[in-house]
Short mmCIF file of all heavy atoms in Angstrom, two decimals:
data_model
loop_
_atom_site.label_atom_id
_atom_site.label_comp_id
_atom_site.label_asym_id
_atom_site.label_seq_id
_atom_site.Cartn_x
_atom_site.Cartn_y
_atom_site.Cartn_z
N ALA Q 1 113.13 37.06 142.80
CA ALA Q 1 113.08 38.29 142.02
C ALA Q 1 111.85 39.12 142.39
O ALA Q 1 111.92 40.35 142.48
CB ALA Q 1 113.08 37.97 140.53
N LEU Q 2 110.72 38.46 142.59
CA LEU Q 2 109.53 39.19 143.03
C LEU Q 2 109.78 39.86 144.39
O LEU Q 2 109.37 41.01 144.61
CB LEU Q 2 108.34 38.24 143.13
CG LEU Q 2 107.78 37.68 141.82
CD1 LEU Q 2 106.75 36.59 142.09
CD2 LEU Q 2 107.18 38.78 140.96
N SER Q 3 110.43 39.14 145.29
CA SER Q 3 110.70 39.69 146.61
C SER Q 3 111.65 40.88 146.54
O SER Q 3 111.45 41.89 147.20
CB SER Q 3 111.29 38.59 147.50
OG SER Q 3 111.61 39.09 148.78
N LEU Q 4 112.70 40.76 145.73
CA LEU Q 4 113.68 41.84 145.63
C LEU Q 4 113.07 43.10 145.05
O LEU Q 4 113.28 44.21 145.54
CB LEU Q 4 114.87 41.40 144.76
CG LEU Q 4 115.93 42.47 144.52
CD1 LEU Q 4 116.71 42.76 145.79
CD2 LEU Q 4 116.87 42.06 143.39
N THR Q 5 112.30 42.96 143.97
CA THR Q 5 111.75 44.13 143.27
C THR Q 5 110.47 44.66 143.90
O THR Q 5 110.09 45.80 143.65
CB THR Q 5 111.45 43.78 141.80
OG1 THR Q 5 110.46 42.74 141.76
CG2 THR Q 5 112.72 43.30 141.08
N GLY Q 6 109.80 43.83 144.69
CA GLY Q 6 108.51 44.23 145.25
C GLY Q 6 107.37 44.08 144.27
O GLY Q 6 106.24 44.48 144.57
N SER Q 7 107.63 43.49 143.12
CA SER Q 7 106.57 43.29 142.12
C SER Q 7 105.63 42.18 142.56
O SER Q 7 106.03 41.25 143.27
CB SER Q 7 107.19 42.93 140.76
OG SER Q 7 106.18 42.62 139.82
N ASP Q 8 104.38 42.27 142.13
CA ASP Q 8 103.43 41.18 142.39
C ASP Q 8 102.88 40.64 141.08
O ASP Q 8 101.77 40.11 141.01
CB ASP Q 8 102.29 41.65 143.30
CG ASP Q 8 101.50 42.81 142.71
OD1 ASP Q 8 101.84 43.28 141.59
OD2 ASP Q 8 100.55 43.28 143.36
N GLU Q 9 103.69 40.76 140.01
CA GLU Q 9 103.31 40.28 138.70
C GLU Q 9 104.48 39.50 138.08
O GLU Q 9 105.61 39.98 138.07
CB GLU Q 9 102.94 41.44 137.77
CG GLU Q 9 101.77 42.29 138.27
CD GLU Q 9 101.60 43.56 137.47
OE1 GLU Q 9 102.59 44.04 136.86
OE2 GLU Q 9 100.48 44.10 137.45
N LEU Q 10 104.18 38.33 137.55
CA LEU Q 10 105.19 37.50 136.90
C LEU Q 10 104.65 37.02 135.56
O LEU Q 10 103.54 36.52 135.48
CB LEU Q 10 105.53 36.29 137.78
CG LEU Q 10 106.52 35.27 137.20
CD1 LEU Q 10 107.92 35.87 137.08
CD2 LEU Q 10 106.55 33.99 138.04
N VAL Q 11 105.46 37.17 134.52
CA VAL Q 11 105.11 36.62 133.21
C VAL Q 11 106.18 35.62 132.80
O VAL Q 11 107.34 35.73 133.16
CB VAL Q 11 104.94 37.70 132.12
CG1 VAL Q 11 103.82 38.65 132.47
CG2 VAL Q 11 106.24 38.46 131.88
N LEU Q 12 105.76 34.64 132.03
CA LEU Q 12 106.64 33.58 131.55
C LEU Q 12 106.82 33.71 130.06
O LEU Q 12 105.88 33.98 129.32
CB LEU Q 12 106.01 32.21 131.88
CG LEU Q 12 106.74 30.96 131.38
CD1 LEU Q 12 108.12 30.85 132.01
CD2 LEU Q 12 105.90 29.72 131.68
N GLY Q 13 108.05 33.53 129.59
CA GLY Q 13 108.34 33.54 128.17
C GLY Q 13 109.24 32.38 127.81
O GLY Q 13 109.93 31.82 128.66
N GLY Q 14 109.26 32.01 126.54
CA GLY Q 14 110.15 30.96 126.07
C GLY Q 14 109.45 29.63 125.88
O GLY Q 14 108.47 29.31 126.56
N GLY Q 15 110.00 28.83 124.96
CA GLY Q 15 109.36 27.57 124.59
C GLY Q 15 109.25 26.56 125.69
O GLY Q 15 108.32 25.74 125.71
N VAL Q 16 110.19 26.57 126.66
CA VAL Q 16 110.12 25.62 127.77
C VAL Q 16 108.87 25.88 128.61
O VAL Q 16 108.38 24.99 129.30
CB VAL Q 16 111.40 25.69 128.62
CG1 VAL Q 16 111.34 24.74 129.81
CG2 VAL Q 16 112.62 25.35 127.76
N GLY Q 17 108.34 27.09 128.52
CA GLY Q 17 107.13 27.44 129.26
C GLY Q 17 105.90 26.68 128.81
O GLY Q 17 104.84 26.78 129.45
N GLN Q 18 106.00 25.91 127.74
CA GLN Q 18 104.87 25.09 127.31
C GLN Q 18 104.68 23.87 128.20
O GLN Q 18 103.65 23.22 128.13
CB GLN Q 18 105.08 24.63 125.86
CG GLN Q 18 105.09 25.78 124.87
CD GLN Q 18 105.44 25.33 123.47
OE1 GLN Q 18 104.56 25.01 122.67
NE2 GLN Q 18 106.73 25.31 123.17
N ASN Q 19 105.67 23.57 129.06
CA ASN Q 19 105.56 22.43 129.96
C ASN Q 19 104.50 22.69 131.03
O ASN Q 19 104.57 23.69 131.75
CB ASN Q 19 106.92 22.17 130.61
CG ASN Q 19 106.92 20.95 131.51
OD1 ASN Q 19 106.38 20.97 132.61
ND2 ASN Q 19 107.56 19.88 131.05
N ALA Q 20 103.53 21.80 131.15
CA ALA Q 20 102.41 22.00 132.06
C ALA Q 20 102.85 22.00 133.52
O ALA Q 20 102.34 22.78 134.34
CB ALA Q 20 101.35 20.92 131.83
N ARG Q 21 103.78 21.12 133.89
CA ARG Q 21 104.24 21.07 135.28
C ARG Q 21 104.96 22.36 135.66
O ARG Q 21 104.81 22.86 136.79
CB ARG Q 21 105.17 19.86 135.48
CG ARG Q 21 105.81 19.77 136.86
CD ARG Q 21 104.78 19.65 137.97
NE ARG Q 21 105.41 19.54 139.27
CZ ARG Q 21 104.97 20.13 140.37
NH1 ARG Q 21 103.87 20.88 140.34
NH2 ARG Q 21 105.60 19.97 141.52
N PHE Q 22 105.72 22.91 134.75
CA PHE Q 22 106.42 24.18 134.98
C PHE Q 22 105.42 25.29 135.26
O PHE Q 22 105.55 26.04 136.24
CB PHE Q 22 107.27 24.49 133.75
CG PHE Q 22 108.21 25.66 133.89
CD1 PHE Q 22 108.59 26.16 135.13
CD2 PHE Q 22 108.73 26.26 132.76
CE1 PHE Q 22 109.47 27.23 135.24
CE2 PHE Q 22 109.61 27.32 132.86
CZ PHE Q 22 109.97 27.81 134.09
N ARG Q 23 104.41 25.43 134.42
CA ARG Q 23 103.40 26.47 134.62
C ARG Q 23 102.64 26.26 135.92
O ARG Q 23 102.26 27.21 136.61
CB ARG Q 23 102.45 26.53 133.43
CG ARG Q 23 103.11 26.95 132.13
CD ARG Q 23 102.08 27.36 131.08
NE ARG Q 23 101.05 26.36 130.89
CZ ARG Q 23 101.15 25.32 130.07
NH1 ARG Q 23 102.26 25.15 129.37
NH2 ARG Q 23 100.15 24.47 129.93
N GLU Q 24 102.39 24.99 136.26
CA GLU Q 24 101.70 24.68 137.51
C GLU Q 24 102.51 25.17 138.71
O GLU Q 24 101.96 25.75 139.66
CB GLU Q 24 101.48 23.17 137.61
CG GLU Q 24 100.79 22.72 138.89
CD GLU Q 24 100.69 21.21 138.99
OE1 GLU Q 24 101.71 20.52 138.73
OE2 GLU Q 24 99.61 20.72 139.34
N MET Q 25 103.82 24.94 138.69
CA MET Q 25 104.67 25.40 139.79
C MET Q 25 104.63 26.92 139.94
O MET Q 25 104.48 27.45 141.05
CB MET Q 25 106.12 24.97 139.55
CG MET Q 25 106.42 23.51 139.80
SD MET Q 25 108.21 23.25 139.66
CE MET Q 25 108.31 21.49 140.03
N LEU Q 26 104.76 27.63 138.82
CA LEU Q 26 104.77 29.09 138.88
C LEU Q 26 103.42 29.63 139.34
O LEU Q 26 103.35 30.59 140.11
CB LEU Q 26 105.14 29.65 137.50
CG LEU Q 26 106.58 29.39 137.05
CD1 LEU Q 26 106.74 29.72 135.57
CD2 LEU Q 26 107.56 30.21 137.88
N THR Q 27 102.35 29.01 138.87
CA THR Q 27 101.00 29.42 139.29
C THR Q 27 100.84 29.25 140.81
O THR Q 27 100.32 30.14 141.50
CB THR Q 27 99.94 28.59 138.56
OG1 THR Q 27 100.06 28.81 137.15
CG2 THR Q 27 98.54 28.97 139.01
N GLU Q 28 101.30 28.11 141.32
CA GLU Q 28 101.15 27.82 142.74
C GLU Q 28 102.01 28.75 143.59
O GLU Q 28 101.59 29.24 144.64
CB GLU Q 28 101.52 26.36 143.00
CG GLU Q 28 101.03 25.84 144.34
CD GLU Q 28 100.97 24.32 144.38
OE1 GLU Q 28 101.02 23.69 143.30
OE2 GLU Q 28 100.85 23.79 145.49
N MET Q 29 103.23 29.01 143.14
CA MET Q 29 104.11 29.92 143.88
C MET Q 29 103.49 31.31 143.98
O MET Q 29 103.46 31.93 145.05
CB MET Q 29 105.48 30.00 143.20
CG MET Q 29 106.46 30.96 143.85
SD MET Q 29 106.33 32.68 143.25
CE MET Q 29 107.03 32.52 141.61
N CYS Q 30 103.00 31.81 142.86
CA CYS Q 30 102.41 33.16 142.87
C CYS Q 30 101.16 33.21 143.74
O CYS Q 30 100.94 34.18 144.48
CB CYS Q 30 102.09 33.60 141.44
SG CYS Q 30 103.55 34.05 140.48
N ALA Q 31 100.34 32.17 143.69
CA ALA Q 31 99.15 32.13 144.53
C ALA Q 31 99.52 32.14 146.00
O ALA Q 31 98.87 32.81 146.82
CB ALA Q 31 98.31 30.91 144.19
N GLN Q 32 100.58 31.43 146.36
CA GLN Q 32 100.98 31.33 147.76
C GLN Q 32 101.46 32.67 148.30
O GLN Q 32 101.27 32.98 149.48
CB GLN Q 32 102.09 30.28 147.92
CG GLN Q 32 102.42 29.95 149.38
CD GLN Q 32 103.38 28.77 149.50
OE1 GLN Q 32 103.95 28.30 148.53
NE2 GLN Q 32 103.56 28.28 150.73
N ARG Q 33 102.08 33.51 147.44
CA ARG Q 33 102.57 34.79 147.91
C ARG Q 33 101.66 35.96 147.51
O ARG Q 33 102.03 37.14 147.68
CB ARG Q 33 104.01 35.03 147.47
CG ARG Q 33 104.23 35.26 146.01
CD ARG Q 33 105.71 35.58 145.74
NE ARG Q 33 106.10 36.86 146.27
CZ ARG Q 33 106.96 37.03 147.29
NH1 ARG Q 33 107.51 36.00 147.88
NH2 ARG Q 33 107.27 38.25 147.72
N GLY Q 34 100.51 35.67 146.92
CA GLY Q 34 99.56 36.73 146.58
C GLY Q 34 99.94 37.52 145.36
O GLY Q 34 99.57 38.69 145.22
N ALA Q 35 100.66 36.91 144.43
CA ALA Q 35 101.06 37.57 143.19
C ALA Q 35 100.24 37.02 142.04
O ALA Q 35 99.56 35.99 142.15
CB ALA Q 35 102.55 37.36 142.93
N GLU Q 36 100.27 37.71 140.91
CA GLU Q 36 99.58 37.28 139.71
C GLU Q 36 100.58 36.67 138.74
O GLU Q 36 101.71 37.16 138.60
CB GLU Q 36 98.87 38.45 139.04
CG GLU Q 36 97.74 39.05 139.85
CD GLU Q 36 97.03 40.16 139.08
OE1 GLU Q 36 96.13 39.84 138.27
OE2 GLU Q 36 97.40 41.33 139.25
N PHE Q 37 100.15 35.62 138.05
CA PHE Q 37 101.01 34.94 137.08
C PHE Q 37 100.31 34.86 135.74
O PHE Q 37 99.10 34.63 135.66
CB PHE Q 37 101.35 33.53 137.56
CG PHE Q 37 102.03 32.68 136.51
CD1 PHE Q 37 103.31 32.99 136.08
CD2 PHE Q 37 101.36 31.59 135.94
CE1 PHE Q 37 103.93 32.23 135.09
CE2 PHE Q 37 101.99 30.82 134.97
CZ PHE Q 37 103.27 31.14 134.54
N HIS Q 38 101.09 35.06 134.67
CA HIS Q 38 100.53 34.95 133.32
C HIS Q 38 101.52 34.24 132.41
O HIS Q 38 102.70 34.60 132.35
CB HIS Q 38 100.23 36.32 132.74
CG HIS Q 38 99.77 36.29 131.31
ND1 HIS Q 38 98.52 35.87 130.94
CD2 HIS Q 38 100.43 36.58 130.15
CE1 HIS Q 38 98.40 35.94 129.62
NE2 HIS Q 38 99.55 36.36 129.12
N ALA Q 39 101.01 33.24 131.70
CA ALA Q 39 101.76 32.59 130.62
C ALA Q 39 100.98 32.82 129.33
O ALA Q 39 99.79 32.47 129.26
CB ALA Q 39 101.92 31.10 130.88
N PRO Q 40 101.58 33.40 128.32
CA PRO Q 40 100.87 33.58 127.05
C PRO Q 40 100.47 32.24 126.45
O PRO Q 40 100.97 31.18 126.84
CB PRO Q 40 101.92 34.28 126.16
CG PRO Q 40 102.92 34.85 127.10
CD PRO Q 40 102.95 33.93 128.28
N GLU Q 41 99.58 32.28 125.48
CA GLU Q 41 99.19 31.05 124.80
C GLU Q 41 100.42 30.44 124.13
O GLU Q 41 101.40 31.12 123.83
CB GLU Q 41 98.09 31.34 123.79
CG GLU Q 41 98.44 32.37 122.73
CD GLU Q 41 97.25 32.69 121.84
OE1 GLU Q 41 96.92 31.83 121.00
OE2 GLU Q 41 96.68 33.78 121.97
#
């Protein structure tokens, strides 16, 4: 989705986002492609 839209920003929503491994994957993916990632508290 980031590639299609050209966005370099990703936010996470939803209760499953509390999983630490999930957030770790998204953080690493965004870092690898030079994008920013944010998960709310």
Side-chain angles (χ1 to χ4, degrees):
L2 291 171
S3 178
L4 177 71
T5 62
S7 175
D8 59 0
E9 300 170 335
L10 176 69
V11 298
L12 176 63
V16 178
Q18 295 174 92
N19 183 285
R21 175 61 179 139
F22 188 19
R23 295 196 308 275
E24 179 185 46
M25 284 187 179
L26 292 168
T27 299
E28 197 160 345
M29 177 273 288
C30 286
Q32 189 172 10
R33 69 176 291 113
E36 294 184 84
F37 170 67
H38 174 74
E41 58 185 286

